[in-house]
Amino acid sequence: MNEARKLRLATVSLGGCFGCHMSLMDIDEHLIELAGKVEFDRSPLTDIKHCGPCDIGLIEGGVCNAENVHVLREFRTHCRTLVALGACAINGGLPAQRNHLDLGQCMRAVYGSRPGMDAGGIPDDPELPLPLDKVHPIHEVVRVDYFLPGCPPSGEVIWAFLSDLLAGRTPRIEHPALRFD
């Protein structure tokens, strides 16, 4: 008996709250159905640190630091279809609120003069990712195939979207299924 090849699905989170991943987990009983149709690569369900070749990549969060840029570019290289999942991936979301502020002033305010910090200072460990001056939506760094808005998109919407992709259809989510709250 010849079984159809399972598609490979990967997810990654950049600068965000992980709410889109929580919504993915909210597809509830459809997770069993999804697991029957895909192999998970990098995702919260695996302990894979680097994405391998995948059919579908879901990415949440904005691009806030140098590590985010590296992870995003590597992810794009390995994913045939890339989906920007949620407001932060699409337009920077809440982390982009800092785009109107001077990053240096923010860092000094947080690390330089807080009560209880005797020898305050901006962390400069080379292991820490270098913050970018601005938070960027992922399409400013890599090509994106689909945008699924919401903050976060609901599990129902994510499942409908994935069902279309897995069936080889162009996903089409219409109002009122999409929400922006």
Side-chain angles (χ1 to χ4, degrees), residues 32-52:
I32 303 297
E33 188 177 346
L34 181 62
K37 295 180 178 182
V38 302
E39 282 182 58
F40 287 99
D41 194 280
R42 181 179 177 157
S43 78
L45 302 172
T46 65
D47 195 26
I48 299 172
K49 304 297 183 212
H50 296 279
C51 179

Side-chain angles (χ1 to χ4, degrees), residues 56-121:
I56 301 169
L58 305 175
I59 190 158
E60 72 164 327
V63 183
C64 300
N65 60 46
E67 182 183 25
N68 291 162
V69 173
H70 173 76
V71 169
L72 176 57
R73 287 183 175 151
E74 179 184 73
F75 202 69
R76 172 73 264 188
T77 298
H78 289 95
C79 295
R80 191 165 45 90
T81 300
L82 186 67
V83 180
L85 186 61
C88 295
I90 293 172
N91 62 25
L94 287 177
Q97 287 184 346
R98 76 168 164 91
N99 287 354
H100 304 289
L101 305 170
D102 178 81
L103 181 60
Q105 283 183 326
C106 289
M107 298 292 271
R108 284 188 295 280
V110 170
Y111 295 107
S113 61
R114 291 178 61 172
M117 295 181 71
D118 294 334

